[in-house]
Amino acid sequence: MQHYKYCSYLLEIKQFLTDLAVNISGTRDITRVLKISCNTVTNNSKNSTATTG
């Protein structure tokens, strides 16, 4: 069985996620690069918009 490590809570991943979103990368592109869930990307973008806007 492979070891599963949930790393999307790390600050580096969140910063990289923000950088990719600013550079007009799509949700699917971001999930492939960071190997995190599509829902995580969507929730992160919603949360960052709510806190800044």
Side-chain angles (χ1 to χ4, degrees), residues 5 7 12 17 19 22 33 36 38 41-42 45-47 49:
K5 183 179 177 186
C7 62
E12 295 85 20
L17 178 76
D19 292 342
V22 168
V33 170
I36 58 176
C38 181
V41 175
T42 305
S45 65
K46 285 181 183 179
N47 290 341
T49 305

Side-chain angles (χ1 to χ4, degrees), residues 2-31:
Q2 294 180 347
H3 294 285
Y4 177 75
K5 183 179 177 186
Y6 184 73
C7 62
S8 65
Y9 67 90
L10 296 173
L11 184 61
E12 295 85 20
I13 297 294
K14 290 186 179 187
Q15 182 61 40
F16 196 54
L17 178 76
T18 305
D19 292 342
L20 287 174
V22 168
N23 291 321
I24 317 292
S25 293
T27 303
R28 289 183 181 178
D29 294 336
I30 296 171
T31 57

